[in-house]
Amino acid sequence: MIADMPRGGPDAARWDRRFETGRAEYIDRPDTPDQGRRALRGLDRFHRLTGGYRSFCRLTLAQARDVPAPAVLELGAGLGRLTRHLVDRHPAARVTVSDIDPDVVGLIRRGPLGAHPRVTPAVLDATSIEAPDGAFDVAVLTMSLHHLPAPGVVALLAEGTRAARRLLIIDGWRHPAYLAVAPLLWLTGGRPHLHDGLISLRKLYSAKALHALAAACTPAVAVRTRFVPPGYLVVVATRDRPASSGVPSA
């Protein structure tokens, strides 16, 4: 069953199954709001220092390069840093920056992005997107896929490819060697970020898992997966649409 599938995929090795964890991150626990906010700030600092946001922006715009004024939906936006990069980098991009947490979206609305003429903050659930079919050229979810259980990933793939012509997912690459990043997690966010970061690394989905979950979607969703240095799993998901001419490579 999909709900019981290991995050390493249906044929995950024994070591991979033992590597997996069911522990919850602070950011996902309602009883640890302070630690969750500190972990979120640490994650933001980590991606600013390591160039993560620049990479996410480049990969997102590559999926919209055939559109002069692309409509982009950022899912699970957190602090909205990727949206800031997108509207700065592309002079005509229009971005709906969204999160499931109303408090997070409220902070974005009260900040600089809330006043930007090409940015629309919205409270949205990535697994049940309130938008018409094909409303966006690209929907993007970065470093958040591992927070979803397997049925939630199936729902994300189905909804993301319904609401947008292309769904781009960027998350970490599943391998225990990446636990070596622990010192940098501590330096950028202290104990809360280290706690959540190490759990995240053990909850990441593999490329094989994403292909298996896409196969469970109705209607069918096609996915292409690849490794992008220094350690990202990049997924492009699409549905067959008569008007679509294909997905450009990133």
Side-chain angles (χ1 to χ4, degrees):
M1 294 177 61
I2 287 298
D4 299 324
M5 187 189 73
R7 299 210 172 193
D11 58 348
R14 182 176 298 179
W15 69 262
D16 190 284
R17 295 168 189 253
R18 292 179 65 86
F19 177 64
E20 187 173 332
T21 181
R23 291 184 64 185
E25 300 176 45
Y26 288 137
I27 201 172
D28 293 325
R29 290 170 50 182
D31 62 321
T32 56
D34 292 340
Q35 293 94 325
R37 284 190 290 269
R38 289 174 60 192
L40 186 61
R41 289 195 297 269
L43 182 64
D44 175 64
R45 189 178 299 114
F46 178 88
H47 289 308
R48 284 190 283 119
L49 292 175
T50 61
Y53 290 122
R54 291 193 297 272
S55 295
F56 305 157
C57 180
R58 174 179 58 81
L59 290 164
T60 302
L61 293 179
Q63 293 303 320
R65 63 173 178 247
D66 59 336
V67 183
V72 180
L73 169 63
E74 185 184 1
L75 298 163
L79 300 178
R81 193 80 63 176
L82 173 57
T83 290
R84 176 83 268 172
H85 279 257
L86 289 170
V87 293
D88 286 348
R89 178 83 177 270
H90 196 300
R94 295 167 288 115
V95 184
T96 297
V97 55
S98 73
D99 200 278
I100 195 171
D101 188 336
D103 291 337
V104 169
V105 177
L107 287 174
I108 293 174
R109 285 195 176 114
R110 293 190 294 273
L113 285 177
H116 197 288
R118 290 186 283 117
V119 174
T120 303
V123 178
L124 287 178
D125 182 346
T127 65
S128 182
I129 301 170
E130 295 183 11
D133 293 0
F136 302 95
D137 296 297
V138 181
V140 56
L141 177 77
T142 63
M143 309 310 293
S144 297
L145 185 70
H146 57 276
H147 292 288
L148 298 175
V153 176
V154 173
L156 165 70
L157 290 168
E159 277 291 276
T161 56
R162 178 196 63 78
R165 290 194 299 136
R166 300 156 190 155
L167 169 64
L168 173 66
I169 301 170
I170 305 169
D171 212 350
W173 188 264
R174 183 176 180 80
H175 196 285
Y178 286 106
L179 293 173
V181 77
L184 186 54
L185 296 176
W186 176 270
L187 289 171
T188 53
R191 185 181 180 279
H193 188 212
L194 176 65
H195 173 275
D196 278 17
L198 293 181
I199 291 175
S200 293
L201 290 168
R202 298 174 64 187
K203 283 188 165 184
L204 296 171
Y205 287 95
S206 70
K208 287 184 178 180
L210 265 294
H211 283 278
L213 294 171
C217 292
T218 304
V221 171
V223 295
R224 292 190 298 111
T225 59
R226 66 189 181 99
F227 172 82
V228 171
Y232 299 122
L233 170 66
V234 175
V235 183
V236 178
T238 58
R239 288 189 195 183
D240 288 334
R241 284 190 172 94
S244 176
S245 59
V247 180
S249 58

